[in-house]
């Protein structure tokens, strides 16, 4: 092996260990995976979901608990969607999988006017379909591939455009109380995932096959965070730490803290 190849292999090993450590810590901190779980790993064909599946498969071999993995992709019938890519990849690595075929594309195109962003409705339809599959197949956890930057971007989107201090929790009980969603990549940096996916040469499927416009607000958040990360190294780590260290008494939400009930204690 040449020196260049050896160096590349060493870099990959360090990267893989870092990602596995981050995923392991997130799983432990939020009790994401328990003994006997049947986990539905949602695959979109993007770098994040490929990386999540790869790391969970590796952790499955050494984890102190036993859990099952089934990979699931929702074929929404977008034009030019390469239907063969994911089945071929999953067969090549020997992972149980299921392809759900549901033409949400036609529904979205019928409801959303031409030129308008379709992502919101598409996401709701996709979520409903996946929840239904999970119930039918006794899935105990639904794993999504959102990473640290996705969570921070969502926080600022809600702050700037909705007036809410709200992000994406690493673990969530769905509104219908029937599904638990986990985000094993919650502690992982997007740039590490990008490098890992490039090393592994995953067969990436583009996310713009539906022809929808980009989510310009999220794109703006992504650019803002990238600028901060470049100009102020460590800022994203600090922001994410802040999401894990909230002091309700120092905010202004009367639903989270009883400001009206505050009284002096002369004997203190």
């Amino acid at each position: 092996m040449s020196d260049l190849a050896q160096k590349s292999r060493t870099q990959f090993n360090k990267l893989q260990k870092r990602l596995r450590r981050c995923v392991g810590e997130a799983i432990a901190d939020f009790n994401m995976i328990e003994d006997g779980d049947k986990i539905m790993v949602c695959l979109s064909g993007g770098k994040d979901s490929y990386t999540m599946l790869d790391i969970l498969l590796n952790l499955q071999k050494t984890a102190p608990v036993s859990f099952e993995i089934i990979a699931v992709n929702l074929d929404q019938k977008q034009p030019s969607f390469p239907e063969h890519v994911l089945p071929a990849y999953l067969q090549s690595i020997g992972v149980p999988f299921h392809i759900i075929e549901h033409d949400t594309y036609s529904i979205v195109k019928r409801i959303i006017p031409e030129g308008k962003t379709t992502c919101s409705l598409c996401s709701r339809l996709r979520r409903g379909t996946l929840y239904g599959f999970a119930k039918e197949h006794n899935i105990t956890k639904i794993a999504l591939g959102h990473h640290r930057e996705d969570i921070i971007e969502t926080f600022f989107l809600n702050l700037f455009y909705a007036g809410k201090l709200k992000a994406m929790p690493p673990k969530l009980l769905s509104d219908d109380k029937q599904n638990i969603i986990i985000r094993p990549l919650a502690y992982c940096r997007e740039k590490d995932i990008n490098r890992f996916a490039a090393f592994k040469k995953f067969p990436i499927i583009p996310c713009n096959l539906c022809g929808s416009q980009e989510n310009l607000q999220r794109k703006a958040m992504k650019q803002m965070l990238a600028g901060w990360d470049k100009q102020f190294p460590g800022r994203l780590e600090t922001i994410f730490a802040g999401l894990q260290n909230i002091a309700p008494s120092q905010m202004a939400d009367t639903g989270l803290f009883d400001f009206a009930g505050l009284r002096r204690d002369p004997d203190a």
Side-chain angles (χ1 to χ4, degrees):
M1 184 181 293
S2 68
D3 290 343
L4 183 60
Q6 180 63 45
K7 181 179 179 181
S8 179
R9 188 65 193 178
T10 300
Q11 290 175 341
F12 171 75
N13 288 338
K14 289 181 179 179
L15 174 62
Q16 187 175 54
K17 287 179 181 178
R18 181 161 61 248
L19 286 171
R20 288 181 184 177
R21 183 179 67 252
C22 288
V23 171
E25 289 175 355
I27 290 173
D29 286 350
F30 295 93
N31 193 29
M32 290 184 183
I33 298 177
E34 300 169 273
D35 194 52
D37 268 341
K38 185 176 182 180
I39 301 174
M40 181 171 84
V41 177
C42 298
L43 287 182
S44 65
K47 59 178 173 57
D48 304 327
S49 58
Y50 276 125
T51 298
M52 174 175 63
L53 175 63
D54 187 282
I55 294 174
L56 287 179
L57 287 171
N58 277 280
L59 291 177
Q60 186 184 39
K61 299 173 184 176
T62 58
V65 296
S66 175
F67 61 94
E68 182 181 348
I69 289 176
I70 177 172
V72 173
N73 169 254
L74 174 57
D75 180 357
Q76 298 176 267
K77 298 304 177 183
Q78 298 103 322
S80 304
F81 181 76
E83 298 179 358
H84 65 285
V85 171
L86 278 169
Y89 173 74
L90 294 169
Q91 288 170 359
S92 73
I93 62 174
V95 175
F97 70 93
H98 192 92
I99 305 297
I100 305 172
E101 296 188 5
H102 186 193
D103 187 3
T104 61
Y105 173 80
S106 296
I107 298 173
V108 169
K109 286 300 183 182
R110 185 175 69 249
I111 295 176
I112 303 296
E114 190 67 30
K116 297 294 184 180
T117 302
T118 61
C119 298
S120 178
L121 176 59
C122 182
S123 177
R124 290 199 299 274
L125 293 172
R126 184 170 60 249
R127 185 165 57 245
T129 302
L130 293 172
Y131 284 0
F133 179 90
K135 186 175 182 179
E136 291 173 10
H137 293 80
N138 299 314
I139 300 295
T140 58
K141 303 283 174 59
I142 300 173
L144 304 180
H146 298 115
H147 48 68
R148 186 191 68 178
E149 277 78 358
D150 285 326
I151 293 172
I152 298 175
E153 287 167 18
T154 302
F155 169 75
F156 282 110
L157 280 170
N158 280 309
L159 178 63
F160 293 162
Y161 298 103
K164 296 180 180 180
L165 287 180
K166 178 181 176 182
M168 281 180 182
K171 185 178 182 181
L172 173 72
L173 180 64
S174 62
D175 291 339
D176 62 8
K177 313 299 182 185
Q178 299 297 308
N179 298 283
I180 293 180
I181 294 86
I182 59 174
R183 297 183 168 98
L185 300 182
Y187 290 173
C188 298
R189 302 184 300 182
E190 184 174 17
K191 58 187 177 184
D192 285 343
I193 294 172
N194 287 338
R195 291 178 58 215
F196 185 78
F199 269 119
K200 297 286 290 188
K201 298 181 180 179
F202 294 132
I204 304 298
I205 299 174
C207 64
N208 61 349
L209 294 174
C210 59
S212 67
Q213 296 177 338
E214 289 187 83
N215 186 325
L216 298 181
Q217 292 176 346
R218 184 168 288 277
K219 184 179 179 180
M221 295 302 100
K222 188 176 289 290
Q223 292 173 341
M224 179 184 76
L225 295 182
W228 284 353
D229 191 38
K230 183 177 180 180
Q231 188 174 2
F232 307 104
R235 173 168 288 189
L236 299 190
E237 285 78 6
T238 302
I239 293 172
F240 191 77
L243 296 179
Q244 300 173 282
N245 188 23
I246 299 169
S249 66
Q250 306 304 303
M251 303 298 284
D253 189 333
T254 57
L256 288 180
F257 188 80
D258 184 17
F259 293 100
L262 288 177
R263 298 288 186 273
R264 292 188 311 110
D265 185 353
D267 299 324

